[in-house]
Amino acid sequence: MTQTAKADTPVAARADDEPLPRRKLVFVIVSMGLFMASVDQTVVATALTSIQRELHAGVQWGAWTITIYSLGQVLVMPLAGKISDIYGRKRVFVLAIVLFTVTSLLCGLSQNIYMLVVLRAIQALGGGSIMPAASGIVSDHFGRNRDRALGMFTSIFPIGGVVGPILGGIFVTYWSWRGIFLVNVPIGVALIILGSIFFPTTEGRRGGRLDIVGSLTMAATILAAMLGIATLGDGAKWYSPGVLVPELVAIAFGWLFVRHTRRAPHPFISMQLLVGKGFGIMNLINFLYGAAAIGFSALVPLYAQERFGIPPLESGTLLTARAVGMICIAGLAVFALRRTGYRMPMVVGFLLVSGGLVMMFFTPPGASPYLWLSIAAAITGLGMGLSVPAANNATLQFAKGQIAGVSGLRGMFRQAGSIMAVSVVTAVIARASDPGLSLGISFLVLAGTLIAVTPTVLLVPEHRGSW
């Protein structure tokens, strides 16, 4: 038995003996932390105009307040997951909340756009570290039921991303854009206190040691690749130096990372978790799923405004329909997993998301665009609520001692796919004579991508029952 497994087994055994009320409290604490971090990923979108006006910022710098947060999360998720597995979940979670809370306060007090962008980058390091560490905490506290607990917990992240723009609109309308950051402060302080009290303090070392060379080369690969894609989204041509140079740098560092990982005795991320049985296909699925299902959510309000002239506040509420769809089915999907396995919910969920995307483009003549788009958004929500729990748990049973690390990789691939989709689509519509129609066509392309990837679900290792 490996050192990691030895460390994990006693924790799982103790979890089944832990009082249920305490486990529920732990679940609520980490869920609040994940929801807060995921909301901040999208909450700035509806406040962007207000931020630009008050801080006298251009559109490009305003957009970087969103882009830099996504980049920071993609960069830190696998790092935080590995560090959490090695040095303990509680330490990483509490430190992540501290960093997130302090930077939220400073973001709310920012005096210029440059200060805000830098602080958003640091805030992302805290926000992106929460999910991997929290996933490990949930796993440690729920023993035989951790598959269900993790399914419920990780479904919170996309819901928070959907709710973000709505909350942003409320704060901007009734308070100030600064409120979207300052509201995190009392919540963060409460989470720091609760986590320090109720999370176990006897967590030992999870095994292994941090691979500095592997972590740095992987970080450089991710950062360079995402910078090139983000630059494309800012309006640069695909062959411009701002796009090509970062991508070439990413390829070089990626080669160095793979070369080092194959030779290192204790690699930062083993090749098994990247391309091994089950993991390789799920990483691909998570990347494309992030592009099609998560990335498009940032584009729905813009699509409603550009193509149908729906007012900003109403267009933002379209994401509410999607959130309702997710909430309605996610809980049922989690508790049905032991009977259905992973493949069937993923296939049906992917097809529902694709169907909702297609519906958004083909609006029936005479139908209310807002009502039709609401129905289509709700259908995509049902698809996500059905498929996300299965996709989240599909590979975790093969790496029970590295759940935080696997969760970090999963989040990284989904976020990277989302950034790629948004950047490419925005680059296309920036040059289009009819942005609304171009957005609609992009939805068809995303739907086709998700349909094309659906057969690969049959390659995902099947599992039924608890683990």
Side-chain angles (χ1 to χ4, degrees), residues 107-420:
C107 282
L109 301 176
S110 294
Q111 298 303 305
N112 59 67
I113 192 65
Y114 312 109
M115 179 180 178
L116 181 59
V117 169
V118 171
L119 289 170
R120 281 282 284 172
I122 301 172
Q123 185 191 38
L125 300 181
S129 300
I130 292 173
M131 185 182 74
S135 295
I137 291 172
V138 171
S139 173
D140 289 348
H141 280 78
F142 281 83
R144 289 187 298 269
N145 288 315
R146 60 183 174 181
D147 55 335
R148 290 176 171 173
L150 282 168
M152 290 292 293
F153 171 71
T154 49
S155 298
I156 293 170
F157 192 84
I159 294 175
V162 170
V163 171
I166 301 168
L167 292 179
I170 293 172
F171 278 115
V172 170
T173 302
Y174 297 104
W175 187 11
S176 164
W177 66 266
R178 298 182 185 276
I180 65 178
F181 299 114
L182 297 178
V183 73
N184 293 329
V185 177
I187 299 174
V189 170
L191 291 176
I192 293 167
I193 296 172
L194 292 172
S196 300
I197 295 174
F198 292 102
F199 294 166
T201 57
T202 56
E203 291 180 294
R205 186 177 176 86
R206 298 281 163 177
R209 60 190 180 199
L210 187 61
D211 173 17
I212 301 297
V213 174
S215 61
L216 290 177
T217 52
M218 184 175 189
T221 302
I222 296 169
L223 184 60
M226 292 297 99
L227 276 175
I229 293 172
T231 302
L232 178 66
D234 284 339
K237 298 184 183 298
W238 68 268
Y239 52 81
S240 68
V243 175
L244 289 182
V245 171
E247 297 306 323
L248 291 174
V249 171
I251 292 172
F253 275 107
W255 178 80
L256 290 173
F257 169 74
V258 172
R259 182 173 180 269
H260 171 79
T261 298
R262 291 184 184 279
R263 299 180 179 183
H266 301 284
F268 171 64
I269 298 293
S270 69
M271 294 305 295
Q272 171 66 18
L273 296 185
L274 290 173
V275 296
K277 180 181 179 182
F279 291 101
I281 192 64
M282 277 308 305
N283 289 336
L284 173 64
I285 289 173
N286 280 325
F287 180 80
L288 296 177
Y289 183 78
I294 300 175
F296 99 95
S297 66
L299 304 170
V300 170
L302 180 62
Y303 174 65
Q305 294 171 45
E306 290 287 345
R307 189 172 184 190
F308 301 105
I310 297 175
L313 187 57
E314 288 183 34
S315 65
T317 61
L318 291 172
L319 297 179
T320 305
R322 182 183 172 203
V324 169
M326 290 181 64
I327 294 168
C328 285
I329 201 169
L332 296 176
V334 167
F335 284 95
L337 274 180
R338 293 182 184 178
R339 292 179 176 271
T340 63
Y342 301 136
R343 294 176 182 171
M344 189 273 285
M346 289 171 66
V347 169
V348 176
F350 289 178
L351 293 178
L352 281 173
V353 173
S354 300
L357 288 170
V358 172
M359 283 179 63
M360 287 189 175
F361 180 79
F362 293 105
T363 306
S368 164
Y370 178 80
L371 178 60
W372 182 259
L373 291 177
S374 296
I375 295 172
I379 290 174
T380 63
L382 290 173
M384 291 185 69
L386 186 62
S387 58
V388 165
N392 287 343
N393 279 344
T395 51
L396 290 180
Q397 77 271 16
F398 299 114
K400 297 177 185 177
Q402 303 178 66
I403 284 178
V406 175
S407 298
L409 278 176
R410 180 185 64 223
M412 180 197 75
F413 279 109
R414 288 184 184 172
Q415 288 294 97
S418 174
I419 293 174
M420 184 198 70

